Amino acid sequence: MIPLVAVAHGSRDPRSAAAVRALVARIAAAAPDLDVRVAFLDLSEPLVTDVLRDLVSEGHRDAVVVPLLLGSAFHARVDLPALVAEVPGLRVTIADVLGTALSEVAFDRLAAVADVSDPGLGVVLAAVGSSRAAANEVVATLARRWQARHGFRAVAAFASAAKPDVPAAVAKLRARGARRIAVASWFLAPGLLPDRIAAQARAADPAVVLAEPLAGDPRVAELVLERYTTALAAATRSA
């Protein structure tokens, strides 16, 4: 079978790489006949270029790369294709990002720490943030969808590169009548930016509750395999 290379961003925080490795181990366990490898864009090892070069040296001619990314921003649209292009001799199909297919996972993480039926609840959906407005709007749209569907107040907030930040989001929720604040995670793994979100949230409201990142949920591994299968089928049709 054509190998699956699961590519995460990478982080200086070892908890992030550990969470990604655990996710990839679950993917491999769910598909024991599939060659599943972990790789990173930057800051953690092995780098995706090294993994792809290993595949070439082992005689592979094809690979499917699944980005372990929640948004279609710079890393997915520019960084990853550029790195793949650095490795000749391998036909690489890049699958779609994980994206809002994980919205129910994020909601269930939230529901594990907060009473989502509470009419006084205000929810901050916290994400990395991007210089690409369309990527930020996906998160904002998800927050509005949760608000319409579940009745609590909800706004998006970002750790960097976009507004509002968490303090501004909490203030907005308070102004709209929220009495209790919860932060939903739009992060795959723990790390420095989720820690920044948590610190800002606790400074804004010491009673805030914080949902866990998404990687530990088994549905994430299932989605990665689904992205692989879809990309492989598309590559076969176009061959």
Side-chain angles (χ1 to χ4, degrees):
M1 295 180 69
I2 292 176
L4 185 166
V5 182
V7 181
H9 179 269
S11 172
R12 292 183 178 86
D13 189 324
R15 295 172 300 161
S16 179
V20 169
R21 292 181 193 283
L23 168 59
V24 174
R26 284 190 293 275
I27 296 165
D33 295 330
L34 180 60
D35 184 352
V36 180
R37 308 196 186 195
V38 64
F40 300 91
L41 294 173
D42 196 9
L43 301 174
S44 303
E45 293 184 343
L47 297 175
V48 62
T49 47
D50 293 334
V51 172
L52 296 179
R53 289 187 182 106
D54 286 345
L55 290 173
V56 173
S57 69
E58 293 167 16
H60 292 281
R61 298 176 60 189
D62 299 272
V64 173
V65 165
V66 181
L68 302 181
L69 302 171
L70 296 180
S72 182
F74 189 85
H75 296 306
R77 295 165 62 86
V78 178
D79 279 349
L80 182 55
L83 291 169
V84 165
E86 289 182 16
V87 182
L90 191 68
R91 289 189 295 263
V92 177
T93 300
I94 302 177
D96 287 340
V97 298
L98 303 182
T100 55
L102 291 179
S103 60
E104 290 303 315
V105 174
F107 181 80
D108 290 347
R109 293 296 218 206
L110 170 67
V113 299
D115 179 3
V116 293
S117 66
D118 178 4
L121 182 66
V123 173
V124 177
L125 179 57
V128 173
S130 171
S131 58
R132 184 170 182 259
N136 300 323
E137 181 57 28
V138 169
V139 184
T141 298
L142 179 55
R144 290 193 295 268
R145 188 178 303 144
W146 281 3
Q147 177 173 283
R149 183 176 301 170
H150 302 287
F152 51 67
R153 302 157 185 84
V155 295
F158 303 97
S160 63
K163 299 294 183 182
D165 60 11
V166 169
V170 171
K172 184 181 295 186
L173 290 169
R174 292 291 191 199
R176 290 165 52 187
R179 297 186 298 277
R180 283 163 292 281
I181 303 296
V183 176
S185 178
W186 196 239
F187 290 91
L188 197 65
L192 301 177
L193 291 181
D195 283 356
R196 179 187 300 173
I197 290 286
Q200 291 177 345
R202 291 188 180 108
D205 183 351
V208 69
V209 293
L210 302 158
E212 292 293 321
L214 311 184
D217 190 288
R219 288 171 287 182
V220 181
E222 293 169 4
L223 179 60
V224 173
L225 289 170
E226 180 182 317
R227 290 286 192 258
Y228 167 84
T229 300
T230 301
L232 185 59
T236 301
R237 287 194 299 271
S238 63

